[in-house]
Amino acid sequence: MKRLQGIGVSPGVAIGPAYLLLTGNVKISRRILTPSQVEKEIDRLHRALATTIKDLEEVKRHIPPEMVQPLSIIDAHILMLKDPSLIRDTEQFIRRHYVNAEWALRKVLKKYQRVFDSLKDFYLRERIHDLEHLIERVILALQGQNESVEIEEPAIVIAHDLSPADTARLKPDTTQAFVTEVGSRTSHTAIVARSLGIPAVVAVKGVTEEISPGDLVIVDGLSGEVIVNPSQEVIEEFIDRRLECQLQRERFLDLAKEPAVTLDGRRVFVRANLELLDEIPMALEFGAEGVGLFRTEYLYVTKEGLPSEEELFINYRQVIEGIRPNIVTFRTLDIGGDKFAKELNLPAEINPALGLRAIRLCLKNIELFRTQLRAILRASVYGKIRIMFPLISGLNELLEAKKVLFEVLDELSQEGLEVDVPECGAMIEVPTAAAIADILAKEVDFFSIGTNDLIQYALAIDRGNEQVAHLYEPLHPGILRIIKHVAEAAKKTGIKVAMCGEMAGEPLCVPLLVGMGFDELSMNPQTIPIIKNIIRQISYEDCQKLAKEILSLSCAKEIRSYLEYWFQQKDLAF
């Protein structure tokens, strides 16, 4: 018996035989063309793109219409393959270098990888994996091959990786679960797995070597545990756990739309982190009380050049109307200037991750900022909104951002559009912002802590770097003290404090955050029913005592053990 550990991304327990699916980059070689072959090669590229799009349309045909998120993801993939800039860049590479389409696609992909790698938002950075999967599908089509997963008997799929389209093809009646060597909780593959109700664990290093075809495997999609060739005693334990998971899931969903109120009456708003308009139906289904973070970068990342004010307005209005009567919190543009270096005439940066990005980019390019603010404020008349500024590091940035906001409000008023002044917030992601939270709190209506970046900056860790990712620890005592300091500064000033990083959706952290005084938690929609259920089972008074005890501990391991023990003592399930 072997126990392997990964990241649980889709809850549920499965027991079954292993089905090994060997996937990976298709091997290609460079082929030099003669001038007369170039246009024929471009025609070949277009035929392969059309074949891949047709294949994705076929995948969509087998997805039930009520599964909005998988359908929207596949639609987004089809749009990516039709993207004029992707097609133009590939065509130009073929014409300029006289090479075959496969080679050109891989080279163009590297260009896009550099753009996405420079994004600060980890969630957006991960979208490059979708493009990588799509390019591989086009290359397979160029070579006359087809990438598909067909499983005839019930089994657990073991693979290096699965694309969202491959995951959407999986049939829950034959795919009991899947385990991959790479991936993350926020990947589109994970989102599709959760939509289909297929238990899944990702980031299990070496799993394709550790497991052989036919091995009996247990997968726990919540804890991330994978057990190979378990004993009879362990099998019986997990059969009971599987039944309990099914019953819990049904109970959580039944109560998902009820408010999250502690046993002693403290109300905590549980909201959704969204990026796409098509994610709204699922967020509402899972009980989201509005949007605590709407990432506005998608229209900027997925098209050539800058989106117009009208394009932004239409998108924002649809989001607001879709969530109404609840609130939408718009994060202003959180992207690096390297994405718009050509349009904005910006020089190259040695370290774009710490350079001209987010609020810094907007304040240096006021028209870029004004265009987005105009679109948000114009759309605000259709519902309730808030605006928050990312990557604030000091008071001057915040005051400058607010000044532009009020100038735009005055401008719209002069044009005859009366817009209410929206609540304005600062994202606390930079350690200096946390240190002066008491000063910043006097200038905003709320704080929203972006723990993903706050942890990276405070611990000096790039969690995308495999060499140091294990040091990325939300329960580090230093991180918890920073968070507590920000929450106390908000409370003393009388403003709301929210959290929109991954930590907000971690069940183990919820009582601690409630005890620190958080008013709002915002997360991936699928986690909302679980978090609401925990809040309903705890008291604010107990959580306050817990927070005090936790903050006296000296290391993350000790803190995690204490929280697990606390959950056991309270008989809390998640």
Side-chain angles (χ1 to χ4, degrees):
M1 185 171 75
K2 288 183 286 190
R3 291 180 183 265
L4 308 174
Q5 188 62 45
I7 300 172
V9 297
S10 182
V13 174
I15 305 171
Y19 178 96
L20 256 67
L21 181 67
L22 300 178
T23 60
N25 284 355
V26 185
K27 291 184 178 179
I28 64 169
S29 56
R30 184 175 64 171
R31 181 163 48 88
I32 302 300
L33 309 175
T34 62
S36 63
Q37 293 175 315
V38 168
E39 293 308 315
K40 291 180 181 178
E41 190 66 14
I42 289 173
D43 287 341
R44 181 170 165 261
L45 168 68
H46 282 274
R47 288 196 302 272
L49 287 166
T51 298
T52 307
I53 290 169
K54 183 179 178 182
D55 182 47
L56 291 176
E57 293 284 3
E58 183 65 17
V59 171
K60 274 183 62 182
R61 199 169 65 83
H62 289 91
I63 300 174
E66 65 271 15
M67 292 188 178
V68 176
Q69 234 174 345
L71 287 169
S72 67
I73 288 170
I74 301 302
D75 279 335
H77 286 186
I78 290 170
L79 288 174
M80 288 170 79
L81 289 174
K82 292 180 177 179
D83 180 30
S85 60
L86 173 66
I87 296 169
R88 183 176 61 252
D89 288 349
T90 309
E91 289 177 348
Q92 288 177 350
F93 199 94
I94 293 170
R95 289 192 176 102
R96 188 176 296 124
H97 300 282
Y98 295 94
V99 294
N100 52 318
E102 294 94 330
W103 191 264
L105 280 166
R106 285 271 176 87
K107 290 294 184 182
V108 169
L109 175 61
K110 287 185 178 180
K111 169 192 168 183
Y112 282 87
Q113 285 170 330
R114 287 193 295 271
V115 171
F116 277 81
D117 282 346
S118 70
L119 299 179
K120 187 176 72 70
D121 190 301
F122 184 77
Y123 183 89
L124 287 171
R125 223 164 51 224
E126 282 205 322
R127 300 287 77 84
I128 189 60
H129 298 312
D130 290 12
L131 184 58
E132 290 167 351
H133 285 304
L134 289 170
I135 294 296
E136 292 306 306
R137 294 181 82 90
V138 177
I139 290 173
L140 281 170
L142 284 164
Q143 298 182 347
Q145 301 178 51
N146 183 36
E147 183 180 45
S148 62
V149 181
E150 296 293 339
I151 303 170
E152 297 179 359
E153 297 294 329
I156 291 173
V157 174
I158 311 295
H160 172 71
D161 195 11
L162 286 173
S163 71
D166 284 336
T167 308
R169 287 175 188 260
L170 298 175
K171 298 175 182 177
D173 55 342
T174 55
T175 305
Q176 296 170 298
F178 70 79
V179 182
T180 62
E181 292 183 315
V182 299
S184 75
R185 190 175 282 106
T186 55
S187 70
H188 276 161
T189 294
I191 291 170
V192 174
R194 289 192 289 266
S195 299
L196 295 174
I198 297 175
V201 176
V202 302
V204 184
K205 289 186 178 180
V207 71
T208 56
E209 296 174 2
E210 294 283 355
I211 297 178
S212 302
D215 279 349
L216 186 63
V217 179
I218 293 176
V219 175
D220 187 333
L222 185 62
S223 69
E225 189 174 21
V226 178
I227 304 174
V228 188
N229 294 322
S231 65
Q232 187 60 37
E233 183 182 359
V234 172
I235 291 173
E236 291 172 3
E237 174 195 338
F238 274 85
I239 288 174
D240 291 340
R241 192 184 296 185
R242 179 172 59 186
L243 178 60
E244 180 59 27
C245 282
Q246 291 169 348
L247 293 173
Q248 277 185 8
R249 183 179 178 85
E250 290 170 8
R251 288 198 300 268
F252 292 169
L253 284 174
D254 285 343
L255 296 170
K257 295 180 183 178
E258 297 297 320
V261 182
T262 65
L263 295 172
D264 49 357
R266 181 172 176 80
R267 179 81 156 89
V268 180
F269 287 89
V270 184
R271 296 184 164 132
N273 294 341
L274 299 183
E275 172 191 13
L276 302 173
L277 178 66
D278 291 333
E279 294 174 320
I280 291 175
M282 177 168 283
L284 295 176
E285 178 190 348
F286 282 99
E289 301 170 295
V291 178
L293 165 63
F294 186 76
R295 301 176 174 95
T296 61
E297 294 74 36
Y298 191 77
L299 289 179
Y300 292 87
V301 173
T302 55
K303 72 187 300 292
E304 186 78 9
L306 299 169
S308 67
E309 179 184 325
E310 198 62 25
E311 287 176 294
L312 295 172
F313 162 72
I314 291 169
N315 180 253
Y316 300 160
R317 175 181 171 176
Q318 289 173 324
V319 173
I320 293 166
E321 290 179 329
I323 290 294
R324 197 170 56 194
N326 289 312
I327 199 163
V328 179
T329 309
F330 286 97
R331 180 181 70 185
T332 59
L333 191 59
D334 191 1
I335 200 170
D338 46 326
K339 172 69 175 73
F340 309 117
K342 183 178 178 181
E343 289 84 355
L344 302 177
N345 195 29
L346 299 173
E349 295 184 271
I350 296 174
N351 189 350
L354 297 176
L356 188 63
R357 58 186 322 105
I359 198 64
R360 302 167 184 175
L361 173 68
C362 289
L363 293 176
K364 188 173 179 64
N365 297 272
I366 297 297
E367 282 310 307
L368 174 74
F369 195 26
R370 289 170 63 87
T371 297
Q372 184 180 39
L373 289 175
R374 281 181 59 90
I376 294 172
L377 292 170
R378 284 175 56 201
S380 72
V381 300
Y382 296 94
K384 293 168 63 178
I385 74 150
R386 299 187 302 190
I387 293 175
M388 61 183 183
F389 304 118
L391 207 69
I392 294 293
S393 61
L395 180 62
N396 287 342
E397 286 173 333
L398 179 57
L399 294 177
E400 286 184 53
K402 287 179 64 180
K403 179 184 175 185
V404 178
L405 173 66
F406 281 97
E407 286 174 353
V408 171
L409 280 165
D410 288 342
E411 184 179 273
L412 290 173
S413 178
Q414 290 171 17
E415 293 173 11
L417 182 64
E418 292 299 328
V419 178
D420 292 335
V421 178
E423 287 191 352
C424 180
M427 288 197 71
I428 306 297
E429 308 167 275
V430 180
T432 53
I436 60 166
D438 57 326
I439 297 173
L440 298 178
K442 297 171 185 175
E443 298 295 335
V444 292
D445 301 297
F446 68 96
F447 282 149
S448 187
I449 300 181
T451 53
N452 301 2
D453 286 316
L454 180 62
I455 294 168
Q456 289 192 109
Y457 292 139
L459 295 179
I461 287 169
D462 176 5
R463 65 176 177 161
N465 184 331
E466 292 183 0
Q467 304 300 318
V468 295
H470 65 284
L471 298 173
Y472 181 90
E473 179 51 79
L475 295 178
H476 188 293
I479 299 298
L480 297 183
R481 292 183 185 195
I482 290 172
I483 291 171
K484 176 62 173 172
H485 172 72
V486 174
E488 285 180 342
K491 186 176 180 180
K492 286 179 182 177
T493 314
I495 66 170
K496 300 291 186 183
V497 60
M499 180 178 287
C500 61
E502 281 183 22
M503 191 174 175
E506 289 292 340
L508 203 62
C509 297
V510 171
L512 178 58
L513 298 176
V514 170
M516 287 182 178
F518 277 80
D519 303 289
E520 305 173 18
L521 300 174
S522 190
M523 62 206 65
N524 294 323
Q526 296 84 355
T527 316
I528 290 173
I530 297 171
I531 301 304
K532 280 188 166 185
N533 181 66
I534 291 173
I535 293 171
R536 294 190 195 104
Q537 296 182 75
I538 57 181
S539 77
Y540 180 45
E541 185 179 354
D542 285 349
C543 291
Q544 286 178 304
K545 292 176 183 176
L546 171 68
K548 187 175 181 180
E549 290 162 357
I550 286 294
L551 288 165
S552 69
L553 302 179
S554 57
C555 71
K557 185 177 180 181
E558 192 178 5
I559 290 170
R560 189 172 297 277
S561 296
Y562 194 99
L563 287 171
E564 289 171 351
Y565 173 76
W566 195 86
F567 265 73
Q568 290 172 2
Q569 291 296 105
K570 298 289 182 183
D571 196 25
L572 291 175
F574 60 87

